[in-house]
Amino acid sequence: MPTVDDILEQVGEFGWFQKQAFLTLCLLSAAFAPVYVGIVFLAFTPDHRCLSPGAAELGRRCGWSAAEELNYTVPGPGPTGDAFPRQCRSYAVDWNQSALGCVDPLAGLAANRSHLPLGPCLHGWAYDTPGSSIVTEFNLVCDNSWKVDLFQSCVNLGFFLGSLGVGYIADRFGRKLCLLATSLTSAVLGALTAVAPNYTSLLLFRLLQGLVSKGSWTSGYVLITEFVGMGYRRMVAILYQMAFTVGLVVLSGVAYAIPHWRWLQLAISLPTFLFLLYYWCVPESPRWLLSQKRNAQVMKIMGHIAQKNGKSPLADLKMLSLEEDVTEKLSPSFVDLFRTPQLRKHTFILMYLWFTSSVLYQGLIMHVGATGGNLYLDFLYSALVEFPAAFIILATIDRFGLIRPLATSNLVAGTACFIMIFISHDLHWLNITVACVGRMGITIVFQMVCLVNAELYPTFVRNLGVMVCSSLCDLGGIITPFLVFRLMEIWHGLPLTLFAGLGLVAGGMTLLLPETKGITLPETIEDAENLGKIAKPKENMIYLQIQTSERAGT
């Protein structure tokens, strides 16, 4: 009895239909990039100082230049170079008193300005930027700077909560319906974010968009891997994630052209309404239809694929079946992930790897955005290094397996973060170069950890294993903004110290996992427990599609 893979071998495993569907669905992956890391441009924090109407009026009367006004009226940095007094405090003096002159007006009040009392910014802040961000509009600086962290944490919380519900919808109602529903909802919420009247509504829209946007990305990932034959699934999965990198590159250009956050948010949200055209452009997954016993629709779609690929239509598909293993009829349980010593070890290590990959990936992006010179160029350079990462994966996994490249990439990312600690801020080019190396390493990790995760669990708990372990990715994303921005207030190198430790430990822990190259995927708990001890050759190369809550690779 033929399976879907058998039929795809006859109608074309990666013909014109699949290539067209792949390029079309890659737009979903690219559009996910602004949702995932758009905080870099939507919430950038420019140089700022307390706004003082009295000082500004005195400056106008005296004809001060901008530099003179800063020199006379703004406190200097703290004793260790801390910018906090300059950005978050103002001189507590009455600028309207007649005793103040136009040349060094505060000299008559104190011989040393450091002896003058400082107070909070009562009249808001002045920002040195031609554009705007949610920081400048809602004054998310100084005592309110933690609200920027919360803004990004909300979308990651949405990813975490939404991955469970969206996965159910895709399995229950179909990949295509899930894709259309989540794409429409994400587009509407993106547009609403652009017109949010206050910070509270901004957080609400951001959280709700997180609930559905990753589901849209995952639905596209599932669809394209279910359209192609077995021999092409790994390739299209990696290239689909590379489309996310294309989205990063485009985002840097659009953000440079549109420096105002509301217009930028509209520019990245409105085009996503075009994804509703997928209703006519992309059919439902034949594998899902077959699982629902809707064979007539499967036959129609397979005939359409054959026609698009220039193949002869198959005469009879009535015997088409969904290949199942008896082990898949077992009921998976969360306890199964910890039932035996080896599975327990694999689960804890994979959880840590998912958590680390998210923290380092998002953390490096945020750290470069917060400390870099040119926000747009630095973001572009670090995004471009993700392209060779995908090709490195394709070139190495069949030759060296998964474990050694994964461990090496973790060590590279951790070492790069460690080196950055000691690079002077004056050597900006070297700092960005090393950051790009670390970014490439953690990108490889992000894309490979899903493959490793899927191959270490027995068939009946494979989906559950990937879902549980990859949920740590979203939890890592929730705390990363606080780790980066709050630790930087203590010392700029402190987040990098943490990242280096996480990456280096992850590299060592990866080597504790068994290599799966050249052996069959485990089908039972016993197989998983003995994985790597007895290497059985793969009689048939099997790649199973897994619904995950990971990034495109993020």
Side-chain angles (χ1 to χ4, degrees):
M1 188 177 293
T3 65
V4 173
D5 288 317
D6 296 330
I7 300 302
L8 283 174
E9 289 183 4
Q10 300 178 54
V11 302
E13 292 184 284
F14 196 60
W16 171 248
F17 168 82
Q18 285 91 347
K19 293 173 183 175
Q20 187 180 42
F22 171 72
L23 292 175
T24 302
L25 291 171
C26 275
L27 296 175
L28 280 171
S29 186
F32 182 58
V35 179
Y36 194 72
V37 295
I39 183 177
V40 174
F41 301 110
L42 296 174
F44 73 91
T45 303
D47 288 335
H48 52 278
R49 62 188 183 278
C50 291
L51 188 63
S52 177
E57 177 61 29
L58 179 62
R60 281 192 293 271
R61 291 204 314 265
C62 296
W64 290 339
S65 65
E68 287 175 325
E69 182 175 342
L70 286 175
N71 183 43
Y72 291 151
T73 65
V74 177
T80 60
D82 182 14
F84 183 80
R86 184 179 186 89
Q87 296 178 337
C88 301
R89 293 288 182 266
S90 62
Y91 289 120
V93 300
D94 180 9
W95 291 98
N96 296 315
Q97 58 184 296
S98 58
L100 298 180
C102 289
V103 179
D104 198 3
L106 298 179
L109 300 180
N112 189 333
R113 275 196 242 173
S114 63
H115 296 156
L116 289 173
L118 298 178
C121 299
L122 300 176
H123 304 284
W125 287 264
Y127 298 94
D128 297 331
T129 175
S132 66
S133 71
I134 65 170
V135 171
T136 63
E137 181 165 335
F138 299 113
N139 287 326
L140 307 184
V141 293
C142 301
D143 293 339
N144 289 324
S145 58
W146 61 272
K147 293 183 178 180
V148 179
D149 313 351
L150 186 60
F151 174 74
Q152 180 65 8
S153 294
C154 276
V155 75
N156 281 284
L157 178 60
F159 294 159
F160 176 69
L161 298 175
S163 61
L164 307 178
V166 171
Y168 171 79
I169 293 173
D171 285 339
R172 177 67 178 83
F173 301 103
R175 286 50 165 132
K176 183 176 178 179
L177 177 62
C178 180
L179 184 151
L180 293 172
T182 52
S183 295
L184 174 60
T185 307
S186 181
V188 170
L189 289 167
L192 289 175
T193 300
V195 296
N198 51 55
Y199 176 76
T200 302
S201 59
L202 190 71
L203 285 186
L204 177 62
F205 295 145
R206 188 71 169 166
L207 173 65
L208 295 177
Q209 188 177 31
L211 285 171
V212 295
S213 58
K214 201 164 192 176
S216 178
W217 183 92
T218 305
S219 297
Y221 182 91
V222 172
L223 267 175
I224 190 55
T225 52
E226 292 187 347
F227 279 143
V228 302
M230 285 192 299
Y232 293 92
R233 288 182 200 163
R234 181 174 283 181
M235 180 192 72
V236 298
I238 293 173
L239 293 180
Y240 180 81
Q241 295 183 68
M242 192 171 73
F244 177 88
T245 305
V246 175
L248 296 177
V249 173
V250 173
L251 173 62
S252 63
V254 174
Y256 177 78
I258 309 175
H260 299 279
W261 80 270
R262 290 190 183 273
W263 291 109
L264 174 61
Q265 180 64 28
L266 278 177
I268 60 182
S269 299
L270 293 181
T272 59
F273 281 99
L274 295 176
F275 291 148
L276 295 178
L277 296 176
Y278 285 169
Y279 179 84
W280 294 277
C281 300
V282 179
E284 180 57 89
S285 165
R287 299 174 192 274
W288 180 81
L289 290 171
L290 192 59
S291 72
Q292 303 298 307
K293 305 188 184 305
R294 293 157 66 171
N295 289 27
Q297 290 179 260
V298 177
M299 293 169 60
K300 181 179 179 181
I301 291 174
M302 285 300 185
H304 175 69
I305 294 175
Q307 180 184 13
K308 283 281 189 178
N309 289 345
K311 302 286 186 177
S312 300
L314 300 177
D316 188 10
L317 294 180
K318 293 182 180 179
M319 300 299 292
L320 189 64
S321 71
L322 182 66
E323 194 174 64
E324 293 182 352
D325 191 278
V326 292
T327 57
E328 292 181 315
K329 297 179 181 178
L330 297 173
S331 299
S333 168
F334 179 79
V335 178
D336 291 326
L337 303 181
F338 305 90
R339 189 174 299 279
T340 62
Q342 288 300 314
L343 277 178
R344 194 156 49 241
K345 182 182 76 172
H346 297 168
T347 299
F348 283 127
I349 292 176
L350 288 167
M351 283 180 170
Y352 180 78
L353 293 181
W354 275 110
F355 176 82
T356 301
S357 62
S358 175
V359 171
L360 264 69
Y361 183 84
Q362 293 194 51
L364 279 173
I365 291 177
M366 294 178 190
H367 193 272
V368 168
T371 61
N374 187 308
L375 176 65
Y376 305 99
L377 286 179
D378 292 345
F379 186 89
L380 175 63
Y381 296 151
S382 61
L384 290 175
V385 300
E386 292 195 11
F387 288 110
F391 294 112
I392 289 174
I393 295 173
L394 292 172
T396 58
I397 55 177
D398 289 331
R399 184 175 181 181
F400 300 105
L402 293 171
I403 300 303
R404 283 182 292 173
L406 179 60
T408 302
S409 299
N410 268 311
L411 293 174
V412 167
T415 302
C417 292
F418 182 74
I419 294 174
M420 288 173 65
I421 299 172
F422 304 98
I423 299 177
S424 170
H425 289 293
D426 297 331
L427 297 175
H428 180 64
W429 65 271
L430 182 59
N431 206 21
I432 291 299
T433 301
V434 177
C436 287
V437 173
R439 174 80 171 272
M440 182 170 65
I442 203 60
T443 298
I444 294 174
V445 172
F446 228 140
Q447 296 191 14
M448 291 187 69
V449 68
C450 178
L451 301 176
V452 174
N453 202 156
E455 295 188 3
L456 291 180
Y457 285 107
T459 301
F460 78 100
V461 293
R462 187 167 289 123
N463 280 307
L464 179 65
V466 176
M467 183 187 72
V468 170
C469 293
S470 63
S471 66
L472 270 292
C473 167
D474 297 323
L475 290 179
I478 292 173
I479 68 171
T480 298
F482 293 95
L483 291 177
V484 174
F485 298 121
R486 294 317 106 209
L487 293 182
M488 283 181 63
E489 290 185 351
I490 302 173
W491 175 44
H492 272 212
L494 192 54
L496 295 173
T497 305
L498 176 63
F499 298 160
L502 290 173
L504 294 175
V505 172
M509 293 181 68
T510 302
L511 296 175
L512 299 177
L513 297 174
E515 179 57 70
T516 58
K517 180 177 180 290
I519 61 177
T520 56
L521 294 180
E523 297 179 355
T524 65
I525 289 182
E526 183 180 0
D527 290 341
E529 189 69 9
N530 296 323
L531 197 62
K533 298 179 181 179
I534 302 177
K536 298 183 293 181
K538 289 186 179 178
E539 298 176 357
N540 296 302
M541 194 70 74
I542 302 174
Y543 299 110
L544 296 180
Q545 172 54 42
I546 304 297
Q547 285 190 52
T548 75
S549 63
E550 89 280 9
R551 181 199 72 83
T554 211

